[in-house]
Amino acid sequence: MSLESVVSLNVAKFGGTSVADYDAMQRCADIIIANPQTRVVVVSASSGVTNQLVALTQAETSVEESKALIKKIASIQYQILDKLGNPSDVAARIDHILSHISTLSERLKLTRSKAVMDELLSQGEMCSSVFFAAVLREKGASASAFDVRQVLRTDSHHGRAEPQIEMIAELAKQHLEPLLCDQVIVTQGFVGADSEGNTTTLGRGGSDYSAALLAEALQADAVEIWTDVAGIYTTDPRLAPNARPIPEISFNEAAEMATFGAKVLHPATILPAVRQKIQVFVGSSWAPEQGGTWIRHQVKSEPVYRAVAVRRDQTLLNLHSLQMLHAQGFLAETFATLAKHKISVDLITTSEVNVALTLDKTGSDSSGQGLLSEALLQELSQHCRVRVEEGLALVAVIGNNIASTAGVCRRVFEVLETYNVRMICQGASPHNLCILVDEAEAANVIGALHENLFEA
Ligand code: ADP
Ligand code: ASP
Ligand code: MG
């Protein structure tokens, strides 16, 4: 079959729980085989493996702890290998990756190089892509693992690398497209390489983004995100048992949901899809027959209330300066300092002599390093008094025409009577109303809002 005779091309991504073990991979392989349009498969590391690799990168992890972590990672891989019947080519590749993990972990004891960290963090995806291709072949499909670093070019900002869109398109045309005529290509999510060939990573949860970037480069017709829930729900189904799947949602709404913490999609996933108008499907690899959510450019209904999302572990910076009073330039100076330290500001409110802003931790890097450095705080302290509050959660009501519909605030706040709302942001976007609350109260706030807006 030539690529031209494939009516349309899909890129399918499978997350960590979907490729957690051999049985899970089998279910995913059946989904691929059932749809001949799916020619590119993007996989995450098996569930838990990236967390273990992150722990290996931490300075405080002892030699003994590192050994235990490597053993845990190896045990996950060997269980899959055993069930595959230990094919010698796959076994050799996995052994090679595992010994590379040990070498890199030792190297990190000597150097805190971010490049070495990224190389180490990428190894989970390396393993799962080799396995997934083998599982497909076992089922009779023609499939190979492909090193995504040949095409997913990024800058050299290790831990949170920026993809270079035009370069990715060019490289994909050259190295990836010709392979798709007669086989399914299985490749790694989350991983890229800079122009020197050094491994980079896109930040935690970045495999969704990888799939969308490859779909954009190949001008695919759809991206499928296969996960452990049957689509995007009205809120995280783990938080509200009555949350229900949304059959169809617009790019704007989905982008807002991802940005405000709906972990089911990495926040950047929607960008490539919007640029190329590629529709995105989200479904469960455990129950594909349940269908899922289609994210499209245009949707039939645009309700005022679509979903509630929550983003935990928020930092509030309160800056106080008398210079602000009837003066110019204070905000410009503050934002320049934050930009210099690569901090992305999220929400902001101001008064006469105070600015309160929350920081977007989705901007933090793959190895989980924090945002607020000593250097940043010191620089800010030079022109204002800085107070930092942690332990907050940002709850967002997401929908349409929120800022221009009467009664929204009443419905939102009538159930929040007993909670201390630390900050409110509404008006900038027609798609959201955000409140900052104590993290310990977030689950109850979500429950109350979901009940009032979606279960009444
Ligand atoms: P994967 O490993 O497949 O990428 P993730 O754990 O990153 O999966 O994302 C899936 C999880 O996202 C779900 O298990 C669910 O708990 C969480 N989630 C948060 N908000 C939502 C939402 N609105 N709809 C569906 N899932 C959500
Ligand atoms: N394996 C990476 C992570 O756990 C990327 C992903 O799963 O999307 O963050
Ligand atoms: Mg994810």
Side-chain angles (χ1 to χ4, degrees):
M1 200 184 319
S2 74
L3 191 58
E4 286 72 41
S5 68
V6 178
V7 188
S8 56
L9 173 71
N10 287 357
V11 175
K13 175 259 172 178
F14 294 91
T17 47
S18 300
V19 295
D21 53 32
Y22 176 77
D23 295 338
M25 285 191 191
Q26 290 246 322
R27 278 190 292 274
C28 301
D30 290 337
I31 293 174
I32 299 300
I33 290 166
N35 186 355
Q37 290 166 2
T38 307
R39 286 308 177 90
V40 179
V41 176
V42 174
V43 288
S44 291
S46 299
S47 197
V49 171
T50 308
N51 286 347
Q52 282 141 14
L53 291 167
V54 168
L56 273 181
T57 66
Q58 306 298 302
E60 59 275 15
T61 303
S62 69
V63 174
E64 283 313 306
E65 285 165 339
S66 294
K67 278 191 188 146
L69 286 164
I70 294 172
K71 220 167 143 185
K72 240 190 222 166
I73 296 169
S75 135
I76 294 171
Q77 313 307 329
Y78 285 138
Q79 271 178 32
I80 304 175
L81 193 58
D82 275 350
K83 285 219 170 175
L84 255 178
N86 285 298
S88 57
D89 55 334
V90 177
R93 289 178 78 174
I94 296 301
D95 280 336
H96 178 79
I97 297 170
L98 290 171
S99 92
H100 195 41
I101 290 176
S102 298
T103 311
L104 292 166
S105 146
E106 278 160 28
R107 208 181 297 163
L108 273 181
K109 299 270 177 266
L110 307 171
T111 153
R112 303 297 304 147
S113 152
K114 288 210 153 199
V116 178
M117 285 184 198
D118 266 356
E119 175 74 19
L120 180 55
L121 291 174
S122 70
Q123 299 307 311
E125 271 74 7
M126 295 297 166
C127 288
S128 55
S129 54
V130 170
F131 282 135
F132 198 101
V135 169
L136 278 170
R137 287 196 298 272
E138 195 186 41
K139 286 181 175 282
S142 166
S144 348
F146 174 84
D147 190 333
V148 82
R149 291 172 296 189
Q150 287 187 56
V151 298
L152 213 134
R153 175 68 59 79
T154 68
D155 67 6
S156 304
H157 185 183
H158 287 287
R160 196 181 161 239
E162 205 49 59
Q164 296 179 344
I165 311 299
E166 281 167 20
M167 209 54 210
I168 296 172
E170 207 177 304
L171 292 168
K173 222 170 194 55
Q174 226 174 315
H175 302 295
L176 186 53
E177 209 175 276
L179 304 177
L180 303 180
C181 300
D182 52 4
Q183 61 181 328
V184 175
I185 288 297
V186 183
T187 196
Q188 306 82 32
F190 177 58
V191 178
D194 68 10
S195 58
E196 307 276 293
N198 298 308
T199 304
T200 56
T201 58
L202 302 180
R204 295 301 307 266
S207 296
D208 302 333
Y209 191 21
S210 303
L213 287 164
L214 293 176
E216 178 181 34
L218 294 165
Q219 297 182 302
D221 298 273
V223 185
E224 298 170 3
I225 305 286
W226 294 98
T227 179
D228 58 358
V229 279
I232 301 180
Y233 282 56
T234 46
T235 194
D236 186 343
R238 286 176 214 228
L239 293 180
N242 293 329
R244 44 173 202 268
I246 302 165
E248 194 189 49
I249 188 170
S250 69
F251 282 133
N252 281 337
E253 294 167 292
E256 294 275 337
M257 285 187 73
T259 305
F260 286 108
K263 189 178 167 233
V264 64
L265 266 193
H266 181 278
T269 314
I270 299 297
L271 300 173
V274 170
R275 285 194 291 261
Q276 287 287 327
K277 293 208 171 98
I278 303 170
Q279 49 184 352
V280 181
F281 173 80
V282 181
S284 165
S285 69
W286 305 79
E289 71 288 349
Q290 282 183 19
T293 302
W294 278 103
I295 309 172
R296 297 195 168 106
H297 195 56
Q298 267 175 339
V299 292
K300 286 187 201 92
S301 99
E302 295 197 328
V304 175
Y305 305 111
R306 182 65 97 178
V308 199
V310 61
R311 210 163 62 193
R312 294 170 193 283
D313 198 14
Q314 299 299 288
T315 303
L316 180 69
L317 266 189
N318 204 304
L319 310 178
H320 169 89
S321 169
L322 292 175
Q323 280 174 39
M324 264 183 86
L325 203 61
H326 309 304
Q328 295 95 37
F330 176 78
L331 284 180
E333 202 176 343
T334 304
F335 281 90
T337 305
L338 292 166
K340 195 175 113 194
H341 290 264
K342 292 210 171 293
I343 301 287
S344 144
V345 174
D346 200 20
L347 302 185
I348 172 158
T349 62
T350 62
S351 77
E352 276 295 273
V353 289
N354 285 287
V355 190
L357 38 91
T358 62
L359 307 183
D360 184 0
K361 279 212 177 163
T362 45
S364 65
D365 75 17
S366 300
S367 59
Q369 300 203 350
L371 286 172
L372 278 181
S373 64
E374 266 311 307
L376 165 68
L377 291 176
Q378 261 186 17
E379 204 169 322
L380 285 173
S381 307
Q382 280 164 17
H383 55 104
C384 57
R385 202 174 69 220
V386 184
R387 208 177 65 229
V388 181
E389 276 180 56
E390 313 259 17
L392 297 163
L394 185 69
V395 174
V397 173
I398 289 148
N400 298 281
N401 305 314
I402 286 196
S404 51
T405 303
V408 170
C409 287
R410 185 189 53 78
R411 270 195 83 179
V412 168
F413 290 105
E414 70 190 0
V415 291
L416 300 181
E417 226 176 85
T418 56
Y419 300 100
N420 174 29
V421 175
R422 185 66 193 73
M423 183 167 162
I424 303 167
C425 269
Q426 199 256 2
S429 161
H431 296 293
N432 71 58
L433 184 164
C434 298
I435 55 173
L436 198 64
V437 296
D438 193 333
E439 188 158 342
E441 293 185 328
N444 290 338
V445 167
I446 284 278
L449 280 173
H450 191 271
E451 196 181 331
N452 197 27
L453 303 179
F454 298 98
E455 299 171 38

